[in-house]
Amino acid sequence: MLLVPFEAADAPQLCDWIPNARDNYLWGGPAFEFPITVEQVAAHLAKPEVRPFLFRHQGEAVGYIELYRVSATEYRLCRVLIAAENSRGQGWGKAMVSLALDVAFEEPKITTVSLAVFECNQIAVACYTALGFDLLQEEPKTREFQEETWTLLRMQKRR
């Protein structure tokens, strides 16, 4: 299992991994419209603060994750996705996040990796908690998806 830099040529595969509006919103929040397109991905990746990666297992791309530079001392984990339903539940999400943390903390000035996750995404919340992320005690924010209100949790891990 390893992380490799995400290339523009990988964008069609990423788009194919997001089959519906709900998964799109869980993955990217309001940043992407469904159906996600290669053009949306390219525009997002053009931002200098975005460091995207593919997660590979036995040579096959099975996940996507981003490190988003917030400041000189902080990255935010964003858009974490294990691709196929049949790939989930095997610990790959935890492995992918762990590898991304290694990349982030390789930089000596990075002291914090933060993230935001929807409370309804209990599998992701459990994954982050197991990896040592702490829930920040701040006023919770919410996002509207269709006719549902989703609570957004903020978490962080310090060096």
Side-chain angles (χ1 to χ4, degrees), residues 17-50:
W17 285 345
I18 302 169
N20 58 57
R22 182 180 179 85
D23 285 353
N24 183 67
Y25 204 80
L26 275 172
W27 174 73
F32 296 92
E33 291 182 24
F34 184 79
I36 187 169
T37 64
V38 170
E39 292 78 17
Q40 288 181 74
V41 173
H44 177 72
L45 297 180
K47 298 174 186 174
E49 59 274 10
V50 175

Side-chain angles (χ1 to χ4, degrees), residues 13-125:
Q13 182 175 35
L14 175 61
C15 295
D16 287 346
W17 285 345
I18 302 169
N20 58 57
R22 182 180 179 85
D23 285 353
N24 183 67
Y25 204 80
L26 275 172
W27 174 73
F32 296 92
E33 291 182 24
F34 184 79
I36 187 169
T37 64
V38 170
E39 292 78 17
Q40 288 181 74
V41 173
H44 177 72
L45 297 180
K47 298 174 186 174
E49 59 274 10
V50 175
R51 289 186 65 193
F53 298 92
L54 277 181
F55 177 60
R56 293 193 175 276
H57 176 71
Q58 296 180 340
E60 181 182 347
V62 296
Y64 176 91
I65 194 167
E66 289 177 12
L67 290 172
Y68 183 95
R69 184 171 296 274
V70 175
S71 70
T73 61
E74 181 180 352
Y75 272 119
R76 181 167 293 140
L77 281 182
C78 297
R79 286 166 263 296
V80 178
L81 175 70
I82 294 298
E85 285 288 330
N86 62 359
S87 299
R88 296 179 185 158
Q90 299 182 41
W92 292 356
K94 191 182 287 186
M96 181 173 65
V97 171
S98 184
L99 288 170
L101 287 169
D102 290 346
V103 170
F105 286 130
E106 280 177 359
E107 294 185 32
K109 291 184 179 181
I110 297 296
T111 59
T112 305
V113 175
S114 62
L115 59 86
V117 60
F118 289 114
E119 186 175 40
C120 63
N121 192 348
Q122 285 298 303
I123 292 171
V125 173

